[in-house]
Amino acid sequence: MNKQEHLFIMYPSEQDLLRFYANLPKKAKKRLRLYSKWHAISMLKEDYEALKNRMVAQEMEGDQTNIQTEANIQYTLHQQFTKSQVTPWGVAKVQAPEVWETTEGAGIKVGILDTGIDGRHPDLRGMIKGGVNTADSSSPFIDENGHGTHVAGTVAALNNQIGVVGVAPKTELYALKCFSPDGTASLTDIAQAIDWAIDQKIRILNMSFGSRESSQVLHRAIKTALKHGIIMIASSGNSSESVDYPARHAEVLAVGAIGRNNKVASFSNYDSKLNYVQPGVDILSTWPVSPGYSTLSGTSMATPHLSGICALLLAQAPELTPIQMKKILDRSSVHLTGVSKKKQGRGLVIATKAQSELMKSRNQ
């Protein structure tokens, strides 16, 4: 039975959900996933069809109200492959090295919600402190695609004189593998990964993926994560149209891509929901197969630059809330000349400016 044949059922409260769950047959309980934090449950479509009459009866009796169902939406990674190889200019562009004497992101938990991370890579060795594989619980979170390893390298590749270096080279990485080797993931697996991140007290979630479809379940998960103090950063998308979900949600920071010339990448999604732009064209980073590094383009590559900057700030001020972080980022972004607000949001976030704004806020 494949993941596309799952359905989500949402309840107005945790009490309603648990009352329904308690009355389910043991066989159905073994085959479902429970998301009590946002009052939802996912089950195989065939189980739902078998139990639908029972659910309707409970609703009519007043046990359940406003039950909603939702399909298991599919998400795709926001990447664009290129053949050229360049040095990693993005880290320099956001001026991360200039703040490393003060902060390198030490002790901050950053979750890479992606295809996994290659923990054997010499530029990532020892950086991965944990993880989970929600796509296949019987397997570890090894990266069989490359996308997650590339994103992780931009956030936190080691400052060890080889390969590349990330924006926050002492950050603690957590591999939340919910994408298959083909670069797709289902809503069930993404929701479970966010649930895991909340329990593990992850501070930053990098979400370099998206879908044109909205999801109430995912939005509930995101709002719950925000209540737990998680800063969520997502790529806007690569189809030169309106911003994808989950970046489109107000609780998430939406990131578009620019090139070396400060021009917005032709593929970068944009509209009034876009928050910032970061380097996302010809980005060199870590890769799980020989030669160990690869150059990719996409809003997926732009997003981890901002995740790294947030880690640099949190390491200095771990008490920062997501709302406080956004205020600092807003004030530390540079407006790109000749680019509309819809295409750049507030502009390019610079690490040195962000650190300066943090110091100002502390002295007020």
Side-chain angles (χ1 to χ4, degrees), residues 131-142 175-179:
V132 65
N133 185 348
T134 61
D136 182 2
S137 60
S138 65
S139 299
F141 42 79
I142 296 170
L176 282 66
K177 181 175 181 176
C178 52
F179 279 80

Side-chain angles (χ1 to χ4, degrees), residues 186-198:
S186 66
L187 178 57
T188 50
D189 296 333
I190 292 172
Q192 188 175 357
I194 295 175
D195 190 53
W196 186 89
I198 293 171

Side-chain angles (χ1 to χ4, degrees), residues 11-22:
Y11 292 83
S13 72
E14 184 176 8
Q15 184 179 10
D16 291 330
L17 168 65
L18 295 179
R19 186 184 300 123
F20 172 70
Y21 177 79

Side-chain angles (χ1 to χ4, degrees), residues 18 21 41 44 69 100-101 125 127 142 150 155-156 159 208 225 271 287 300-301 306 312 317 343 349:
L18 295 179
Y21 177 79
I41 198 169
L44 294 176
T69 60
W100 287 344
E101 284 190 5
R125 193 171 293 136
M127 302 297 291
I142 296 170
H150 196 279
V155 174
N159 189 7
S208 289
D271 61 21
W287 197 250
S300 274
M301 285 64 251
L306 190 64
L312 293 174
K343 287 204 170 186
V349 179

